[in-house]
Amino acid sequence: MYQENKIIHRIEKIISMEPQLFLDYDGTLVPIIKNPEINQADYDLLKLISHLDSRFEMYIVTGREVSDIIRFLGEYNIIGLHGSVFHIDGQTINIPEFAPYVELFNQIYQNTVYIQEKFHGLRIYNKTGSILFHMGNIKNQRSRETVHKIINFLAFRYNIELYTGIDIIELRIPHINKGTAIKQIRNLNRPAIIIGDDRTDEDSFIANQDAITIKIGDGDTHARFAIPYERVRPLLWELLKIL
């Protein structure tokens, strides 16, 4: 509660300057689960997000495809695929180098999808801008290590970025991250509040050190503050009371 009080106190000081709000999805608004394709927002979250969007200039910043967030939450401002796709005011804009990488990832997916049959529990997702290898259901440690070696080889062969997260490894477009994406969107004459839970969100914290940055969960962080997942929604409801 101590950190939450400090966060609220800090936000109270900037609220009149109309801060922009940037929220991660998985691990921040909803828990991390082993079947990410069904990580649907519940009624309480839908209501909360609707209220936040009506009070703030709000963005959902995620590694997911824009279509996932629209399906789970509805039509909001979304920065998708770690900053490769911007869905703003109902219009979707891709970064200039997006199309060639979509072709490359389609090729990689077609050439690797068969290994799901060899490694029980492995799921491979073509996110139309990255390839996600979900290993949460792989029980055999040796299988995990072998899959990791295969993905490392793919990253090296195609000169693409490899990201390792909780039970996932992702091949994605190089030099694109949430931090630079948020910087592009921000109005630097206004403060920002940035909330996220994993390594991809650390890019946001590092690139926006003037913002109120909040890490969700344990571990080292570049964020100013940290709170547990269970306190995220209560904190966001408290934000609405400040206005």
Side-chain angles (χ1 to χ4, degrees):
M1 184 61 73
Y2 176 64
Q3 285 267 288
E4 290 172 62
N5 289 338
K6 290 177 68 175
I7 294 167
I8 293 297
H9 181 66
R10 183 73 186 89
I11 293 173
E12 285 174 339
K13 291 184 174 182
I14 63 161
I15 203 69
S16 63
M17 300 171 67
E18 300 183 346
Q20 295 170 291
L21 180 62
F22 298 90
L23 302 172
D24 178 40
Y25 186 71
D26 295 277
T28 299
L29 296 177
V30 295
I32 299 290
I33 64 173
K34 293 190 182 298
N35 297 295
E37 65 274 10
I38 62 169
N39 214 358
Q40 180 77 41
D42 55 60
Y43 174 76
D44 178 72
L45 178 58
L46 292 173
K47 185 167 73 169
L48 172 60
I49 291 298
S50 177
H51 283 301
L52 288 169
D53 187 61
S54 68
R55 305 282 187 92
F56 291 92
E57 181 183 334
M58 184 192 73
Y59 299 84
I60 305 298
V61 188
T62 177
R64 286 183 179 269
E65 293 181 73
V66 165
S67 58
D68 280 350
I69 300 301
I70 293 175
R71 179 162 54 92
F72 290 156
L73 285 179
E75 273 279 354
Y76 295 102
N77 292 330
I78 303 163
I79 300 173
L81 295 174
H82 308 290
S84 297
V85 181
F86 296 80
H87 183 77
I88 310 297
D89 296 329
Q91 302 296 314
T92 300
I93 302 171
N94 302 327
I95 60 171
E97 60 268 44
F98 187 69
Y101 276 105
V102 169
E103 292 183 17
L104 174 61
F105 288 128
N106 285 340
Q107 177 188 338
I108 293 172
Y109 178 76
Q110 291 166 9
N111 292 339
T112 59
V113 67
Y114 75 93
I115 69 172
Q116 291 178 118
E117 299 174 6
K118 296 186 65 175
F119 299 98
H120 181 71
L122 173 65
R123 283 167 295 163
I124 305 175
Y125 299 92
N126 184 350
K127 294 167 62 176
T128 318
S130 71
I131 302 290
L132 181 73
F133 297 80
H134 197 291
M135 302 196 293
N137 292 321
I138 299 180
K139 307 302 181 186
N140 185 289
Q141 183 60 31
R142 189 169 182 178
S143 293
R144 279 178 169 255
E145 292 170 359
T146 302
V147 170
H148 206 150
K149 288 178 182 178
I150 293 170
I151 302 168
N152 273 319
F153 168 75
L154 292 169
F156 176 78
R157 177 180 178 184
Y158 294 105
N159 193 28
I160 49 183
E161 189 170 303
L162 184 150
Y163 164 74
T164 303
I166 301 170
D167 285 334
I168 64 104
I169 304 177
E170 187 170 6
L171 297 175
R172 63 189 202 187
I173 300 172
H175 314 304
I176 300 296
N177 63 65
K178 292 181 180 180
T180 55
I182 289 174
K183 289 280 276 191
Q184 291 179 53
I185 290 294
R186 280 190 63 188
N187 178 342
L188 295 181
N189 293 318
R190 293 163 59 189
I193 303 166
I194 304 172
I195 308 179
D197 74 301
D198 73 4
R199 278 178 50 206
T200 62
D201 300 298
E202 291 298 319
D203 294 326
S204 303
F205 305 151
I206 293 168
N208 298 273
Q209 295 188 21
D210 61 311
I212 295 176
T213 50
I214 305 168
K215 154 84 171 177
I216 307 308
D218 298 324
D220 294 336
T221 183
H222 292 88
R224 294 188 183 191
F225 304 100
I227 60 173
Y229 168 78
E230 299 77 28
R231 300 306 304 165
V232 175
R233 295 193 196 184
L235 175 67
L236 293 174
W237 282 114
E238 284 297 316
L239 252 61
L240 292 167
K241 296 178 183 178
I242 297 174
L243 297 174

